[in-house]
C-alpha cells in the first residue's frame, strides 16, 4: 500500500503489531481485556488492533474528566483556553500528513478529499471556537421595584461539566473536533467515544493535546462499540453532565433514553434523506457539478448528501444524461493516488446494506441509469468494499429506497412540473436535514428555501460551510443546533444573578 506510516504515542499506524490505546488522564492506556481489528476499507487489510473499553475503563475516563474540571482547566480564563486551543489547531496542521494518512487508512476516502476537507476542518474547528469564546456575551435586564431603587439582572455562563462525545465514522476528525473544540472552549472536559470503524485520529489528537498544554483529564478517548460496550457505558454513566452525538437516528433514540436518566441535556445530529431541487432555469454546469458532489462525495457517506434529486421536466433528460456521465467519470481505487475520486464504503457490512438497497431498487421497479453493482478492481482493491456509483429513475415516492437513508453513492431522479408540488415532495420525509436548490431566479430561491422543512438549505451550492451558522436537523434529523453561538449555548450553563439595588 502506498501510504506513509505515521508514528506517534499510543498508535503506530501501519506497523504490523500496531495497537491503539485509550487516552485517559493525559496518558495512553494500552490494552483492555479484549481488542478488535481495525481494517482499511479499500483493501480489507488490518491497520491496527483497538482495545475495547470495559465499564471500568470508561469510569476511569469519566473520573479523570471530573478531576480535571476542578484542576487548572477549571480555573483558566477564556483567553488562556483560547490560546491553548489555537496551539491544538497548529499541532494538527504541523502533523497534517500523519493525520491525513491515518484518516485515509481508517476511512478509505480519497486523499484528495481528506486533504481538502477532513484535516483542515479538524484544525479550523479549534481556531473558530477559540475565537468564538472570546466574543461570548450574556444578557442584562434592569427592572423596576416597588421601592423605586430597581434591580439588575445579569446572566453568567459556566461550563456544563463532563461532556460525552459520541462520533460516527464518515468524517471522523472533522465531526469529533466540531464538538470537542467548542466544549473545551467553554471550559468543559470531554470523554470521546470515536466510531469503532475509525478510532485512529481521535487517539492521535491526545498527543497534540499534551503538546499544546491541555491539562491531563481534559480530553479523554475510550474505544469500543455502541450497545453493551463503551458507547452505552459512557452515555449511561451517571457522572456525565451532557451528551453530544452524531450518528444514526435509531442510535440517537437510544442515546436519548440513556440521557433521560438523570435528565441530562443532549445534542443530536442524526440521519438525512436529503433532496436536491433542480429548476429549469438553473446554471446547468453548476448544478451538475454540485449535485455530483452532493450524491457521490465520500462515496455518498455524508449526512448532508443527496439521495433524492427532483428535476424540472424540460431539463430532465439532459440533466439525467449529464449526471450519468459525471458518475461514470468517477475513478475508484487506491485512495492514496491523486487520480482516485471514489473511495470504498466504510466496511463490508455497510456494503451489504447498500447493495441490499441496490437490489430493492430493482425490485421496486427502478430504471437503472448507471451502476448498480460492484466495480472490477485489481488486487488488493478487489478485496475492498467498493460499489458502483448508481443512478435510478422511476422509483415510487413511497418505496423504501426513496424513504430510507442508504448512505451510499446513489440517487433516484424524479421529474417535476410545479414548484409547489416539488416542495411537497421534498418535505414528504421523516427526515429534515439539508436541501440544495438550483435556480438562477433568486426570488424563487428565497421562496422555496423558506418552505423546505430542513435545518440547512444551500442555494446553488452544497456543503459550503460558515462555522458561525446554525447547523442541525429538524424532524428525525436531530435535536438542537451547533455552530457559532449555538454551540456555546449547548456547552454552557446559563445562570441568572438578580441584584437588588
Ligand atoms: P451509528 O449511530 O451507528 O454510530 C455512531 C456512534 O454511536 C458510534 O461511535 C457507535 O459506536 C455509537 N453507538 C452505537 N450504538 C450506541 C448506543 N446504543 N449507545 C451509545 N453509543 C452507541 O452511526 P454511524 O453508522 O457511525 O454513522 C452514520 C450515520 O451518522 C448516518 O445515519 C448519518 O446520516 C449520520 N450522521 C449525521 C450527521 C449530522 O450532522 N446530522 C453527520 C454525520 C453522520
Ligand atoms: O460541517 C460540519 O460542521 C458538519 N457537522 C458536517 C456534517 C456532515 C455529515 O456527514
Amino acid at each position: 500500500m502506498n501510504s506513509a506510516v505515521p508514528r506517534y504515542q499510543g498508535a503506530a499506524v501501519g506497523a504490523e503489531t500496531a495497537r491503539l490505546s485509550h487516552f485517559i488522564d493525559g496518558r495512553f492506556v494500552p490494552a483492555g481485556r479484549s481488542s478488535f481489528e481495525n481494517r482499511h476499507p479499500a483493501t480489507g487489510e488490518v491497520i491496527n488492533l483497538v482495545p475495547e473499553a470495559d465499564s471500568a475503563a470508561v469510569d476511569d475516563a469519566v473520573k479523570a474528566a471530573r478531576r480535571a474540571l476542578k484542576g487548572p482547566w477549571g480555573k483558566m480564563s477564556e483567553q488562556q483556553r483560547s490560546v491553548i486551543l489555537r496551539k491544538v489547531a497548529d499541532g494538527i496542521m504541523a502533523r497534517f500528513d500523519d493525520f491525513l494518512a491515518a484518516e485515509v487508512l481508517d476511512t478509505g476516502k480519497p486523499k484528495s478529499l481528506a486533504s481538502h476537507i477532513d484535516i483542515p476542518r479538524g484544525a479550523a474547528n479549534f481556531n473558530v471556537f477559540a475565537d468564538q469564546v472570546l466574543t461570548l456575551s450574556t444578557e442584562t435586564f434592569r427592572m423596576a421595584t416597588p421601592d423605586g431603587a430597581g434591580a439588575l439582572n445579569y446572566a453568567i455562563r459556566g461550563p456544563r461539566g463532563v461532556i460525552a462525545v459520541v462520533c460516527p465514522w464518515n468524517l471522523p476528525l472533522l465531526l469529533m473536533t466540531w464538538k470537542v473544540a467548542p466544549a473545551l472552549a467553554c471550559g468543559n472536559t470531554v470523554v470521546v467515544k470515536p466510531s469503532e470503524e475509525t478510532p485512529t485520529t481521535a487517539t492521535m489528537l491526545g498527543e497534540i493535546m499534551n503538546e499544546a498544554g491541555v491539562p491531563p483529564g481534559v480530553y479523554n478517548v475510550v474505544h469500543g462499540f455502541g450497545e453493551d460496550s463503551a458507547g452505552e457505558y459512557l452515555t449511561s454513566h451517571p457522572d456525565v453532565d451532557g451528551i453530544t452525538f452524531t450518528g444514526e437516528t435509531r442510535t440517537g433514540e437510544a442515546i436519548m433514553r440513556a440521557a433521560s436518566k438523570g435528565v441530562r441535556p443532549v445534542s443530536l445530529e442524526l440521519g438525512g434523506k436529503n433532496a436536491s431541487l433542480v429548476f429549469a432555469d438553473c446554471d446547468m454546469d453548476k448544478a451538475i457539478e454540485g449535485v455530483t458532489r452532493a450524491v457521490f462525495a465520500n462515496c455518498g457517506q455524508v449526512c448532508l448528501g443527496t439521495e433524492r434529486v427532483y428535476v424540472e421536466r424540460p431539463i430532465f433528460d439532459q440533466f439525467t444524461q449529464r449526471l450519468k456521465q459525471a458518475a461514470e467519470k468517477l475513478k475508484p481505487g487506491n485512495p492514496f493516488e491523486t487520480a482516485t475520486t471514489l473511495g470504498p464504503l466504510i466496511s463490508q457490512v455497510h456494503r451489504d446494506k447498500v447493495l441490499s438497497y441496490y437490489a430493492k431498487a430493482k425490485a421496486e421497479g427502478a430504471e437503472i441509469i448507471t451502476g448498480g453493482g460492484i466495480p472490477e478492481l485489481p488486487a488488493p482493491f478487489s478485496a475492498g468494499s467498493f460499489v458502483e456509483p448508481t443512478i435510478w429513475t422511476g422509483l415510487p415516492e413511497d418505496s423504501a429506497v426513496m424513504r430510507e437513508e442508504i448512505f451510499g453513492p446513489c440517487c433516484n431522479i424524479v421529474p417535476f412540473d410545479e414548484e409547489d408540488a416539488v416542495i411537497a415532495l421534498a418535505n414528504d420525509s421523516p427526515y429534515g436535514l439539508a436541501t440544495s436548490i438550483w435556480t438562477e431566479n433568486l426570488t424563487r430561491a428565497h421562496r422555496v428555501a423558506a418552505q423546505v422543512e430542513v435545518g440547512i438549505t444551500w442555494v446553488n451550492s452544497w456543503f459550503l460551510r460558515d462555522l458561525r451558522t446554525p447547523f442541525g436537523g429538524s424532524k428525525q434529523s436531530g435535536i438542537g443546533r451547533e455552530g457559532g453561538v449555538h454551540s456555546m449555548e449547548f456547552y454552557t450553563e446559563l445562570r441568572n444573578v438578580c441584584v437588588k439595588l
Side-chain angles (χ1 to χ4, degrees):
M1 196 187 309
N2 175 23
S3 67
V5 180
R7 286 174 191 281
Y8 46 90
Q9 285 176 271
V13 177
E16 274 181 17
T17 54
R19 279 177 185 275
L20 286 192
S21 301
H22 307 301
F23 183 71
I24 300 176
D25 212 9
R27 288 190 305 272
F28 290 97
V29 180
R33 273 198 306 244
S34 58
S35 57
F36 57 94
E37 289 174 342
N38 174 26
R39 289 178 182 274
H40 180 42
T43 62
E45 291 163 277
V46 175
I47 307 164
N48 45 34
L49 287 180
V50 189
E52 183 182 1
D54 55 16
S55 57
V58 171
D59 189 50
D60 285 349
V62 174
K63 284 199 172 106
R66 175 67 53 197
R67 279 195 303 277
L69 272 178
K70 302 206 172 79
W73 189 247
K75 297 183 182 67
M76 274 183 204
S77 65
E78 277 113 1
Q79 284 76 6
Q80 287 170 314
R81 289 199 300 269
S82 176
V83 168
I84 291 181
L85 293 184
R86 287 195 162 280
K87 287 188 184 157
V88 174
D90 292 345
I92 293 173
M93 293 310 279
R95 302 285 297 275
F96 190 96
D97 289 345
D98 292 350
F99 275 96
L100 181 60
E103 203 73 314
V104 173
L105 282 169
D106 270 8
T107 60
K109 68 178 70 190
K111 192 172 165 181
S112 53
L113 182 72
S115 61
H116 282 93
I117 296 189
D118 300 67
I119 312 306
R121 262 296 299 278
N125 286 336
F126 284 101
N127 283 328
V128 163
F129 289 108
D131 283 350
Q132 181 80 48
V133 74
L134 298 181
T135 60
L136 204 52
S137 62
T138 58
E139 69 251 69
T140 64
F141 292 99
R142 289 200 64 157
M143 65 184 284
T145 54
D147 64 3
L152 175 68
N153 292 275
Y154 64 92
I156 51 176
R157 287 179 194 273
R160 280 198 189 273
V162 175
I163 304 289
V165 182
V166 182
C167 308
W169 44 258
N170 61 326
L171 301 159
L173 183 71
L174 186 161
L175 291 172
M176 187 263 292
T177 53
W178 171 242
K179 290 163 178 296
V180 167
L184 297 192
C186 293
N188 301 281
T189 59
V190 297
V191 180
V192 175
K193 210 298 279 172
S195 169
E196 54 274 32
E197 306 282 3
T198 53
T200 309
T201 47
T203 315
M204 292 173 69
L205 194 61
E207 188 174 329
I208 304 290
M209 292 279 178
N210 281 349
E211 287 167 5
V214 174
V218 171
Y219 173 81
N220 304 277
V221 180
V222 289
H223 294 293
F225 302 87
E227 198 176 350
D228 284 331
S229 184
E232 187 176 330
Y233 303 149
L234 177 61
T235 52
S236 58
H237 195 293
D239 212 23
V240 160
D241 300 304
I243 304 170
T244 179
F245 169 73
T246 305
E248 281 190 30
T249 296
R250 221 175 21 184
T251 314
E253 290 171 353
I255 288 191
M256 269 189 100
R257 282 194 292 278
S260 71
K261 291 217 178 77
V263 198
R264 276 99 43 86
V266 279
S267 174
L268 301 177
E269 297 188 334
L270 307 178
K273 186 73 185 179
N274 310 304
S276 286
L277 279 48
V278 186
F279 289 90
D281 58 9
C282 71
D283 176 320
M284 179 66 89
D285 290 343
K286 280 190 205 153
I288 288 292
E289 189 277 329
V291 175
T292 302
R293 281 193 302 117
V295 176
F296 301 115
N298 209 33
C299 201
Q301 302 165 119
V302 182
C303 61
L304 309 160
T306 290
E307 292 184 356
R308 301 181 292 147
V309 184
Y310 296 101
V311 182
E312 203 167 356
R313 201 173 299 274
I315 62 164
F316 179 80
D317 289 340
Q318 188 197 0
F319 183 92
T320 304
Q321 279 314 304
R322 289 200 49 187
L323 196 68
K324 171 182 185 315
Q325 284 162 11
E328 289 173 355
K329 267 201 205 132
L330 293 169
K331 191 173 175 323
N334 184 347
F336 287 95
E337 274 175 13
T338 38
T340 299
T341 48
L342 189 75
L345 293 167
I346 190 67
S347 65
Q348 297 290 346
V349 171
H350 188 50
R351 179 163 81 166
D352 289 347
K353 176 183 161 187
V354 171
L355 289 175
S356 80
Y357 281 99
Y358 284 15
K360 270 184 206 166
K362 257 190 186 167
E364 286 171 332
E367 177 190 342
I368 300 170
I369 302 295
T370 188
I374 294 172
E376 278 188 24
L377 293 169
F381 305 103
S382 48
S385 39
F386 290 89
V387 291
E388 287 177 335
T390 295
I391 301 174
W392 308 286
T393 60
L395 280 166
E397 287 292 324
D398 63 355
S399 60
V401 173
M402 283 294 277
R403 310 258 341 143
E404 296 166 15
E405 183 187 49
I406 301 170
F407 226 50
C410 54
C411 67
N412 182 52
I413 316 188
V414 181
F416 72 88
D417 297 301
E418 303 289 338
E419 185 181 299
D420 285 350
V422 77
I423 293 169
L425 289 172
N427 287 342
D428 182 16
S429 167
Y431 294 103
L433 188 55
T435 301
S436 63
I437 299 168
W438 300 88
T439 174
E440 292 295 292
N441 177 343
L442 277 187
T443 304
R444 182 208 296 281
H446 291 299
R447 190 168 61 227
V448 175
Q451 294 176 76
V452 283
E453 296 163 354
V454 294
I456 305 144
T457 296
W458 280 286
V459 174
N460 297 328
S461 66
W462 177 75
F463 208 168
L464 179 59
R465 295 279 291 115
D466 179 328
L467 306 187
R468 296 167 299 184
T469 58
F471 183 96
S474 55
K475 303 190 206 170
Q476 292 185 26
S477 291
I479 293 185
R481 295 290 180 271
E482 297 197 34
V485 71
H486 308 282
S487 296
M488 303 287 134
E489 293 296 345
F490 181 72
Y491 295 109
T492 57
E493 189 81 53
L494 259 185
R495 287 172 283 154
N496 189 62
V497 180
C498 178
V499 184
K500 173 74 179 65
L501 299 173

